[in-house]
Amino acid sequence: MAFITHSLKNAAFDAIARFVLVACVCLLLAPRPSAAAPTEITQLRVERADDGVYLSANVRFDVPAVVEDALLKGIAIFFVVEADIYRDRWYWTDPRVASAARTLRLAYQPLTGRWRVNIVSGLITSSSGLRATLNQNYETLPEALSAIQRLSRWKIAEVSEIEADANYALELNFRLDLSQLPRPFQIGVAGQRDWTISAQIKDQLRLTPAGVEGAK
């Protein structure tokens, strides 16, 4: 009787071991979703014109499936872009001489099946609300994203704030602003990598006259 019980235990253990082994092999061989490409700021150009300093750049990023799903359910997504200019100073910390911000709101309109982009000067707060300076509708999500990803001659400083013969550093930040999501939704997405869309550039530059290629 003891021999039979021992044999049954061994058989059960072998069956469990084979099941675990097969499960591990299946997990290793199962196709895995490819990681989203990192957010990247490219083609950065800063120009000095008669009426101010202008920035142009492209921001490359993919919209994860969970973010697109939230958009299709009627949840608006906000992106923030901030630019700060610092003057190089060898004897102390670099002072910030100019600062600019822009908020971009992306939303899907189920009734029309179109996408809407609102571009707001500055940051949105509970008191300021949505002061849109530019509203545009698009037929597809890629078209709407193109308007968000392209920064074209964005004025980030006045001429009086910048000296032509001085050296400066530019800090440019782009991010998805989770604080603008509905409060219950913020709790659910906090810490999720799929909701992290951000990029930063901080580099030395010399401002160039408008129309001259390259600023970095």
Side-chain angles (χ1 to χ4, degrees), residues 24 35 49 95 98 145 154 166 186:
C24 292
L145 287 175
W154 174 33
Q186 292 181 32

Side-chain angles (χ1 to χ4, degrees), residues 56-126:
S56 298
N58 286 338
V59 185
R60 296 179 181 175
F61 65 89
D62 297 326
V63 175
V66 291
V67 178
E68 184 174 349
D69 182 62
L71 284 164
L72 292 173
K73 291 178 179 177
I75 298 175
I77 301 299
F78 293 79
F79 297 92
V80 170
V81 56
E82 297 173 288
D84 296 295
I85 297 178
Y86 298 86
R87 179 172 179 175
D88 289 344
R89 189 165 61 179
W90 63 269
Y91 59 90
W92 198 246
T93 57
D94 297 340
R96 183 171 62 182
V97 298
S99 181
R102 174 181 286 184
T103 302
L104 307 106
R105 178 182 182 271
L106 173 63
Y108 178 67
Q109 300 171 301
L111 293 179
T112 61
R114 306 178 76 184
W115 298 83
R116 187 173 183 84
V117 174
N118 305 96
I119 300 178
V120 183
S121 178
L123 302 177
I124 297 177
T125 63
S126 57

Side-chain angles (χ1 to χ4, degrees), residues 144-158:
L145 287 175
S146 178
I148 291 175
Q149 295 171 326
R150 183 177 63 254
L151 302 174
S152 180
R153 286 187 58 80
W154 174 33
K155 188 174 182 179
I156 60 173
E158 300 291 341

Side-chain angles (χ1 to χ4, degrees), residues 123-143:
L123 302 177
I124 297 177
T125 63
S126 57
S127 59
S128 64
L130 190 64
R131 310 177 314 276
T133 58
L134 176 64
N135 306 316
Q136 186 65 50
N137 293 321
Y138 298 91
E139 297 295 333
T140 65
L141 177 57
E143 290 175 334

Side-chain angles (χ1 to χ4, degrees), residues 139-213:
E139 297 295 333
T140 65
L141 177 57
E143 290 175 334
L145 287 175
S146 178
I148 291 175
Q149 295 171 326
R150 183 177 63 254
L151 302 174
S152 180
R153 286 187 58 80
W154 174 33
K155 188 174 182 179
I156 60 173
E158 300 291 341
V159 171
S160 59
E161 297 175 307
I162 305 298
E163 297 180 17
D165 58 349
N167 293 325
Y168 293 89
L170 170 70
E171 183 173 331
L172 180 63
N173 292 278
F174 180 92
R175 59 184 171 84
L176 190 158
D177 187 4
L178 297 181
S179 68
Q180 297 296 335
L181 293 173
R183 186 69 61 181
F185 207 78
Q186 292 181 32
I187 300 174
V189 304
Q192 292 189 20
R193 294 183 59 185
D194 286 340
W195 285 86
T196 302
I197 299 177
S198 65
Q200 180 186 71
I201 283 183
K202 186 175 183 180
D203 204 352
Q204 299 294 319
L205 60 86
R206 183 179 292 275
L207 301 177
T208 58
V212 177
E213 187 72 20

